[in-house]
PDB file of all heavy atoms in Angstrom:
ATOM      1  N   ILE J 336      11.320 -10.794   7.977  1.00 98.00           N
ATOM      2  CA  ILE J 336      12.655 -10.692   7.358  1.00 98.00           C
ATOM      3  C   ILE J 336      12.802  -9.321   6.711  1.00 98.00           C
ATOM      4  O   ILE J 336      11.797  -8.877   6.101  1.00 98.00           O
ATOM      5  CB  ILE J 336      12.850 -11.775   6.211  1.00 98.00           C
ATOM      6  CG1 ILE J 336      12.532 -13.144   6.780  1.00 98.00           C
ATOM      7  CG2 ILE J 336      14.305 -11.678   5.641  1.00 98.00           C
ATOM      8  CD1 ILE J 336      13.523 -13.718   7.711  1.00 98.00           C
ATOM      9  N   ALA J 337      13.885  -8.645   6.868  1.00 98.00           N
ATOM     10  CA  ALA J 337      14.115  -7.308   6.323  1.00 98.00           C
ATOM     11  C   ALA J 337      15.033  -7.429   5.056  1.00 98.00           C
ATOM     12  O   ALA J 337      15.781  -8.370   4.939  1.00 98.00           O
ATOM     13  CB  ALA J 337      14.772  -6.403   7.374  1.00 98.00           C
ATOM     14  N   PHE J 338      14.873  -6.420   4.171  1.00 98.00           N
ATOM     15  CA  PHE J 338      15.550  -6.460   2.887  1.00 98.00           C
ATOM     16  C   PHE J 338      16.272  -5.143   2.560  1.00 98.00           C
ATOM     17  O   PHE J 338      15.735  -4.124   2.923  1.00 98.00           O
ATOM     18  CB  PHE J 338      14.533  -6.755   1.735  1.00 98.00           C
ATOM     19  CG  PHE J 338      13.895  -8.098   1.871  1.00 98.00           C
ATOM     20  CD1 PHE J 338      12.942  -8.427   2.822  1.00 98.00           C
ATOM     21  CD2 PHE J 338      14.247  -9.097   0.939  1.00 98.00           C
ATOM     22  CE1 PHE J 338      12.375  -9.688   2.917  1.00 98.00           C
ATOM     23  CE2 PHE J 338      13.646 -10.292   1.032  1.00 98.00           C
ATOM     24  CZ  PHE J 338      12.721 -10.672   2.012  1.00 98.00           C
ATOM     25  N   ALA J 339      17.408  -5.269   1.903  1.00 98.00           N
ATOM     26  CA  ALA J 339      18.201  -4.106   1.571  1.00 98.00           C
ATOM     27  C   ALA J 339      18.992  -4.398   0.297  1.00 98.00           C
ATOM     28  O   ALA J 339      19.203  -5.544  -0.098  1.00 98.00           O
ATOM     29  CB  ALA J 339      19.159  -3.720   2.674  1.00 98.00           C
ATOM     30  N   THR J 340      19.434  -3.343  -0.361  1.00 98.00           N
ATOM     31  CA  THR J 340      20.359  -3.500  -1.527  1.00 98.00           C
ATOM     32  C   THR J 340      21.609  -2.680  -1.212  1.00 98.00           C
ATOM     33  O   THR J 340      21.610  -1.736  -0.396  1.00 98.00           O
ATOM     34  CB  THR J 340      19.718  -2.958  -2.802  1.00 98.00           C
ATOM     35  OG1 THR J 340      19.371  -1.596  -2.642  1.00 98.00           O
ATOM     36  CG2 THR J 340      18.563  -3.765  -3.222  1.00 98.00           C
ATOM     37  N   ARG J 341      22.632  -3.061  -1.958  1.00 97.00           N
ATOM     38  CA  ARG J 341      23.912  -2.308  -1.837  1.00 97.00           C
ATOM     39  C   ARG J 341      24.507  -2.109  -3.248  1.00 97.00           C
ATOM     40  O   ARG J 341      24.650  -3.038  -3.965  1.00 97.00           O
ATOM     41  CB  ARG J 341      24.929  -2.950  -0.956  1.00 97.00           C
ATOM     42  CG  ARG J 341      26.209  -2.231  -0.924  1.00 97.00           C
ATOM     43  CD  ARG J 341      27.146  -2.772   0.112  1.00 97.00           C
ATOM     44  NE  ARG J 341      27.579  -4.092  -0.220  1.00 97.00           N
ATOM     45  CZ  ARG J 341      28.638  -4.672   0.356  1.00 97.00           C
ATOM     46  NH1 ARG J 341      29.248  -4.127   1.317  1.00 97.00           N
ATOM     47  NH2 ARG J 341      29.063  -5.893  -0.088  1.00 97.00           N
ATOM     48  N   LYS J 342      24.772  -0.855  -3.612  1.00 94.00           N
ATOM     49  CA  LYS J 342      25.506  -0.502  -4.772  1.00 94.00           C
ATOM     50  C   LYS J 342      26.779   0.172  -4.340  1.00 94.00           C
ATOM     51  O   LYS J 342      26.714   1.176  -3.694  1.00 94.00           O
ATOM     52  CB  LYS J 342      24.673   0.427  -5.689  1.00 94.00           C
ATOM     53  CG  LYS J 342      23.389  -0.206  -6.216  1.00 94.00           C
ATOM     54  CD  LYS J 342      22.556   0.832  -7.025  1.00 94.00           C
ATOM     55  CE  LYS J 342      21.212   0.225  -7.449  1.00 94.00           C
ATOM     56  NZ  LYS J 342      20.405   1.205  -8.047  1.00 94.00           N
ATOM     57  N   GLY J 343      27.880  -0.475  -4.697  1.00 92.00           N
ATOM     58  CA  GLY J 343      29.142   0.090  -4.218  1.00 92.00           C
ATOM     59  C   GLY J 343      29.177  -0.071  -2.646  1.00 92.00           C
ATOM     60  O   GLY J 343      29.087  -1.239  -2.187  1.00 92.00           O
ATOM     61  N   ARG J 344      29.361   0.990  -1.958  1.00 93.00           N
ATOM     62  CA  ARG J 344      29.441   0.858  -0.458  1.00 93.00           C
ATOM     63  C   ARG J 344      28.173   1.273   0.233  1.00 93.00           C
ATOM     64  O   ARG J 344      28.122   1.278   1.475  1.00 93.00           O
ATOM     65  CB  ARG J 344      30.649   1.740   0.037  1.00 93.00           C
ATOM     66  CG  ARG J 344      31.962   1.189  -0.620  1.00 93.00           C
ATOM     67  CD  ARG J 344      33.085   2.091  -0.162  1.00 93.00           C
ATOM     68  NE  ARG J 344      33.645   1.415   1.003  1.00 93.00           N
ATOM     69  CZ  ARG J 344      34.661   1.867   1.685  1.00 93.00           C
ATOM     70  NH1 ARG J 344      35.179   3.025   1.384  1.00 93.00           N
ATOM     71  NH2 ARG J 344      35.144   1.235   2.718  1.00 93.00           N
ATOM     72  N   ARG J 345      27.221   1.770  -0.535  1.00 95.00           N
ATOM     73  CA  ARG J 345      26.002   2.375   0.059  1.00 95.00           C
ATOM     74  C   ARG J 345      24.850   1.358   0.177  1.00 95.00           C
ATOM     75  O   ARG J 345      24.407   0.778  -0.832  1.00 95.00           O
ATOM     76  CB  ARG J 345      25.563   3.563  -0.795  1.00 95.00           C
ATOM     77  CG  ARG J 345      24.441   4.359  -0.179  1.00 95.00           C
ATOM     78  CD  ARG J 345      24.191   5.590  -1.008  1.00 95.00           C
ATOM     79  NE  ARG J 345      22.873   6.142  -0.566  1.00 95.00           N
ATOM     80  CZ  ARG J 345      21.683   5.917  -1.246  1.00 95.00           C
ATOM     81  NH1 ARG J 345      21.703   5.147  -2.242  1.00 95.00           N
ATOM     82  NH2 ARG J 345      20.605   6.404  -0.787  1.00 95.00           N
ATOM     83  N   TRP J 346      24.409   1.131   1.438  1.00 98.00           N
ATOM     84  CA  TRP J 346      23.278   0.243   1.654  1.00 98.00           C
ATOM     85  C   TRP J 346      21.973   1.108   1.594  1.00 98.00           C
ATOM     86  O   TRP J 346      21.951   2.202   2.076  1.00 98.00           O
ATOM     87  CB  TRP J 346      23.369  -0.343   3.042  1.00 98.00           C
ATOM     88  CG  TRP J 346      24.371  -1.474   3.123  1.00 98.00           C
ATOM     89  CD1 TRP J 346      25.646  -1.462   3.666  1.00 98.00           C
ATOM     90  CD2 TRP J 346      24.181  -2.812   2.672  1.00 98.00           C
ATOM     91  NE1 TRP J 346      26.248  -2.641   3.548  1.00 98.00           N
ATOM     92  CE2 TRP J 346      25.405  -3.473   2.943  1.00 98.00           C
ATOM     93  CE3 TRP J 346      23.129  -3.528   2.107  1.00 98.00           C
ATOM     94  CZ2 TRP J 346      25.582  -4.836   2.684  1.00 98.00           C
ATOM     95  CZ3 TRP J 346      23.307  -4.819   1.754  1.00 98.00           C
ATOM     96  CH2 TRP J 346      24.523  -5.538   2.060  1.00 98.00           C
ATOM     97  N   LYS J 347      20.913   0.472   1.157  1.00 98.00           N
ATOM     98  CA  LYS J 347      19.623   1.088   1.073  1.00 98.00           C
ATOM     99  C   LYS J 347      18.575   0.131   1.652  1.00 98.00           C
ATOM    100  O   LYS J 347      18.423  -0.985   1.063  1.00 98.00           O
ATOM    101  CB  LYS J 347      19.231   1.498  -0.319  1.00 98.00           C
ATOM    102  CG  LYS J 347      17.857   2.175  -0.455  1.00 98.00           C
ATOM    103  CD  LYS J 347      17.586   2.586  -1.874  1.00 98.00           C
ATOM    104  CE  LYS J 347      16.254   3.201  -2.027  1.00 98.00           C
ATOM    105  NZ  LYS J 347      15.901   3.505  -3.388  1.00 98.00           N
ATOM    106  N   TYR J 348      17.883   0.519   2.662  1.00 98.00           N
ATOM    107  CA  TYR J 348      16.855  -0.293   3.236  1.00 98.00           C
ATOM    108  C   TYR J 348      15.582  -0.271   2.330  1.00 98.00           C
ATOM    109  O   TYR J 348      15.179   0.815   1.826  1.00 98.00           O
ATOM    110  CB  TYR J 348      16.411   0.261   4.632  1.00 98.00           C
ATOM    111  CG  TYR J 348      15.195  -0.457   5.243  1.00 98.00           C
ATOM    112  CD1 TYR J 348      15.346  -1.777   5.635  1.00 98.00           C
ATOM    113  CD2 TYR J 348      14.054   0.227   5.342  1.00 98.00           C
ATOM    114  CE1 TYR J 348      14.197  -2.441   6.177  1.00 98.00           C
ATOM    115  CE2 TYR J 348      12.907  -0.435   5.898  1.00 98.00           C
ATOM    116  CZ  TYR J 348      12.994  -1.701   6.319  1.00 98.00           C
ATOM    117  OH  TYR J 348      11.926  -2.388   6.815  1.00 98.00           O
ATOM    118  N   LEU J 349      14.951  -1.420   2.128  1.00 98.00           N
ATOM    119  CA  LEU J 349      13.757  -1.470   1.213  1.00 98.00           C
ATOM    120  C   LEU J 349      12.482  -1.821   1.896  1.00 98.00           C
ATOM    121  O   LEU J 349      11.418  -1.488   1.420  1.00 98.00           O
ATOM    122  CB  LEU J 349      14.043  -2.502   0.083  1.00 98.00           C
ATOM    123  CG  LEU J 349      15.187  -2.116  -0.848  1.00 98.00           C
ATOM    124  CD1 LEU J 349      15.511  -3.169  -1.781  1.00 98.00           C
ATOM    125  CD2 LEU J 349      14.868  -0.800  -1.563  1.00 98.00           C
ATOM    126  N   GLY J 350      12.546  -2.610   2.943  1.00 98.00           N
ATOM    127  CA  GLY J 350      11.317  -3.029   3.614  1.00 98.00           C
ATOM    128  C   GLY J 350      11.355  -4.404   4.216  1.00 98.00           C
ATOM    129  O   GLY J 350      12.470  -4.954   4.331  1.00 98.00           O
ATOM    130  N   VAL J 351      10.224  -4.967   4.505  1.00 98.00           N
ATOM    131  CA  VAL J 351      10.163  -6.285   5.085  1.00 98.00           C
ATOM    132  C   VAL J 351       9.109  -7.120   4.518  1.00 98.00           C
ATOM    133  O   VAL J 351       8.244  -6.685   3.741  1.00 98.00           O
ATOM    134  CB  VAL J 351       9.823  -6.198   6.665  1.00 98.00           C
ATOM    135  CG1 VAL J 351      10.865  -5.396   7.387  1.00 98.00           C
ATOM    136  CG2 VAL J 351       8.408  -5.564   6.864  1.00 98.00           C
ATOM    137  N   VAL J 352       9.281  -8.457   4.706  1.00 98.00           N
ATOM    138  CA  VAL J 352       8.265  -9.425   4.369  1.00 98.00           C
ATOM    139  C   VAL J 352       7.905 -10.131   5.585  1.00 98.00           C
ATOM    140  O   VAL J 352       8.691 -10.518   6.405  1.00 98.00           O
ATOM    141  CB  VAL J 352       8.809 -10.513   3.292  1.00 98.00           C
ATOM    142  CG1 VAL J 352       7.831 -11.613   3.120  1.00 98.00           C
ATOM    143  CG2 VAL J 352       9.165  -9.745   1.990  1.00 98.00           C
ATOM    144  N   GLY J 353       6.543 -10.300   5.820  1.00 98.00           N
ATOM    145  CA  GLY J 353       6.016 -10.993   6.966  1.00 98.00           C
ATOM    146  C   GLY J 353       5.471 -12.375   6.566  1.00 98.00           C
ATOM    147  O   GLY J 353       4.813 -12.453   5.548  1.00 98.00           O
ATOM    148  N   PHE J 354       5.828 -13.378   7.307  1.00 96.00           N
ATOM    149  CA  PHE J 354       5.481 -14.812   6.977  1.00 96.00           C
ATOM    150  C   PHE J 354       4.566 -15.288   8.097  1.00 96.00           C
ATOM    151  O   PHE J 354       4.858 -15.057   9.230  1.00 96.00           O
ATOM    152  CB  PHE J 354       6.692 -15.675   6.890  1.00 96.00           C
ATOM    153  CG  PHE J 354       7.697 -15.220   5.919  1.00 96.00           C
ATOM    154  CD1 PHE J 354       8.702 -14.301   6.213  1.00 96.00           C
ATOM    155  CD2 PHE J 354       7.716 -15.850   4.638  1.00 96.00           C
ATOM    156  CE1 PHE J 354       9.643 -13.914   5.273  1.00 96.00           C
ATOM    157  CE2 PHE J 354       8.709 -15.432   3.745  1.00 96.00           C
ATOM    158  CZ  PHE J 354       9.610 -14.471   4.005  1.00 96.00           C
ATOM    159  N   LYS J 355       3.605 -16.071   7.618  1.00 93.00           N
ATOM    160  CA  LYS J 355       2.711 -16.809   8.621  1.00 93.00           C
ATOM    161  C   LYS J 355       3.015 -18.269   8.487  1.00 93.00           C
ATOM    162  O   LYS J 355       3.226 -18.699   7.346  1.00 93.00           O
ATOM    163  CB  LYS J 355       1.256 -16.483   8.362  1.00 93.00           C
ATOM    164  CG  LYS J 355       0.830 -15.204   8.964  1.00 93.00           C
ATOM    165  CD  LYS J 355      -0.636 -15.263   9.307  1.00 93.00           C
ATOM    166  CE  LYS J 355      -0.947 -13.988  10.134  1.00 93.00           C
ATOM    167  NZ  LYS J 355      -2.235 -13.979  10.666  1.00 93.00           N
TER     168      LYS J 355
END
Side-chain angles (χ1 to χ4, degrees):
I336 307 289
F338 293 73
T340 58
R341 180 171 67 165
K342 295 177 186 174
R344 301 179 92 183
R345 188 173 165 264
W346 284 102
K347 180 180 178 184
Y348 173 70
L349 296 173
V351 298
V352 171
F354 301 85
K355 279 205 170 188

